[in-house]
Amino acid sequence: MVDCMIFPYKDVDSRIHRLDARPKLVFVVSVFVFSIVFSDILYLFAVLMFTLLVAYTARILRSALSILKYGIYVAIFVMIFNIVISSGSKVLISFGPVTITFESTLFATSMCLRLFLAMTAFSILAYAVHPDELLRVLSRLGHKTTTSLALSLRTYPTIAADASNIIDSMKSRGVEFEKGSFIKKIKSRTAVVMPLIMNSLERSISISEAMEARGFGTTKRTYYGRKSTTKIEKLMMISFSISVVLGLILFMLGYGNTDYLAGSIGDYSYHNIIGVLVLFIFLSPIFLGKKGG
């Protein structure tokens, strides 16, 4: 339960989950790049719908939507803030010093779609990529740094689990944590601190001794077994990388890049539709995940 708060990975049997972590990581990075590069509402909305379809295929759509639900409050703030501070020529509503323009509304909508797109990509990373697999991939960048990161990420859930066990143990001995005044509750919980610190110190000593016994950092690291990617997964990574390049080319050519505050409302033509479809073609291999055994 505590781990779920920090590592919300869902062990679901789906095509997306059966994939190696690397193609999923490249896909998520591609979507993050699109959320930064594109400013056109049509492009952002299309990629957002595509990403939600991936979440549906991974059977994590409900979890992804729950994350977006919390993002609504941030989106409302972003919408109001951008509408108020941005300017434009086509006035929709004006009351007092506040003027809402058509251009600022479109710009604020674009910013909110960027936010939702980035959050949806994050939800795929959180719910469909196992943290151990992610750290294994990132360890190629430096196993010492990755080990430190892994230990840091596990610190809070480990301490929280220890605290929960200590509290349960003390409750079984008759210690009351829920009754009494606020001050009394605080005093009763301070009794948990000392055994919690002792547990943490003992665990840190055990980890350091285990790492020293295994010669961590003394020689070049070896691997008992290294999971290799299949040809299809390699082709997926190439396809997702090409989609990023195409997205950057579209951006430089002016597609998906609409400056709403400058008065542009998007010159939509069949070129834009073709551009979006080409992106989808190179992103769609994500649906070709491994079939169940």
Side-chain angles (χ1 to χ4, degrees):
M1 182 66 183
V2 176
D3 284 346
C4 292
M5 293 188 294
I6 305 298
F7 305 108
Y9 171 77
K10 287 185 176 296
D11 190 11
V12 180
D13 185 23
S14 71
R15 285 177 173 268
I16 308 299
H17 282 76
R18 292 186 208 110
L19 283 172
D20 184 69
R22 281 161 281 196
K24 287 185 282 190
L25 186 60
V26 177
F27 175 82
V28 169
V29 171
S30 304
V31 175
F32 271 123
V33 171
F34 294 148
S35 70
I36 296 171
V37 171
F38 293 143
S39 59
D40 190 282
I41 291 176
L42 171 66
Y43 279 75
L44 290 170
F45 182 76
V47 179
L48 176 61
M49 290 297 105
F50 185 91
T51 311
L52 287 174
L53 184 60
V54 174
Y56 173 78
T57 306
R59 299 169 60 188
I60 56 169
L61 180 61
R62 180 174 294 181
S63 302
L65 292 177
S66 66
I67 287 184
L68 293 185
K69 181 178 66 178
Y70 294 107
I72 289 176
Y73 302 105
V74 181
I76 292 173
F77 172 77
V78 171
M79 175 72 80
I80 295 174
F81 182 77
N82 283 284
I83 286 177
V84 171
I85 67 166
S86 303
S87 59
S89 57
K90 299 178 182 178
V91 179
L92 297 177
I93 303 173
S94 179
F95 48 95
V98 179
T99 301
I100 300 176
T101 64
F102 183 62
E103 293 86 348
S104 64
T105 305
L106 291 177
F107 178 72
T109 304
S110 169
M111 295 299 289
C112 290
L113 286 173
R114 278 178 163 175
L115 173 67
F116 285 134
L117 182 57
M119 293 181 69
T120 307
F122 171 77
S123 68
I124 292 176
L125 181 68
Y127 290 114
V129 182
H130 195 283
D132 289 342
E133 286 291 307
L134 180 62
L135 291 173
R136 179 179 60 81
V137 173
L138 296 178
S139 66
R140 300 290 184 89
L141 304 177
H143 68 277
K144 290 184 179 179
T145 304
T146 309
T147 303
S148 302
L149 177 64
L151 292 174
S152 302
L153 289 175
R154 290 189 178 280
T155 298
Y156 172 73
T158 303
I159 292 177
D162 282 348
S164 178
N165 292 334
I166 293 170
I167 289 174
D168 289 342
S169 175
M170 296 180 76
K171 280 182 178 178
S172 67
R173 296 174 185 175
V175 178
E176 294 289 349
F177 288 95
E178 307 299 334
K179 294 183 179 179
S181 63
F182 179 71
I183 301 297
K184 189 175 180 180
K185 289 179 181 178
I186 292 178
K187 285 183 177 178
S188 60
R189 290 186 180 276
T190 53
V192 180
V193 175
M194 186 54 70
L196 193 60
I197 292 175
M198 295 303 296
N199 272 358
S200 301
L201 289 174
E202 288 180 6
R203 183 174 290 104
S204 62
I205 292 172
S206 299
I207 292 174
S208 62
E209 288 177 346
M211 293 174 70
E212 187 177 357
R214 296 178 183 181
F216 181 81
T218 56
T219 58
K220 186 178 180 182
R221 183 176 181 177
T222 58
Y223 295 88
Y224 176 73
R226 175 169 285 178
K227 189 177 179 180
S228 59
T229 53
T230 63
K231 289 183 179 179
I232 293 179
E233 289 170 340
K234 290 178 181 176
L235 291 174
M236 284 183 182
M237 289 189 284
I238 294 173
S239 181
F240 301 151
S241 302
I242 292 175
S243 73
V244 173
V245 175
L246 289 175
L248 293 174
I249 292 174
L250 288 172
F251 171 77
M252 289 186 286
L253 293 176
Y255 297 105
N257 179 25
T258 304
D259 189 356
Y260 293 108
L261 295 180
S264 175
I265 58 173
D267 183 18
Y268 298 123
S269 63
Y270 68 92
H271 293 101
N272 289 283
I273 298 175
I274 292 174
V276 173
L277 290 177
V278 169
L279 289 180
F280 284 178
I281 289 173
F282 283 96
L283 288 174
S284 57
I286 190 69
F287 297 111
L288 303 177
K290 295 178 181 177
K291 296 181 180 178

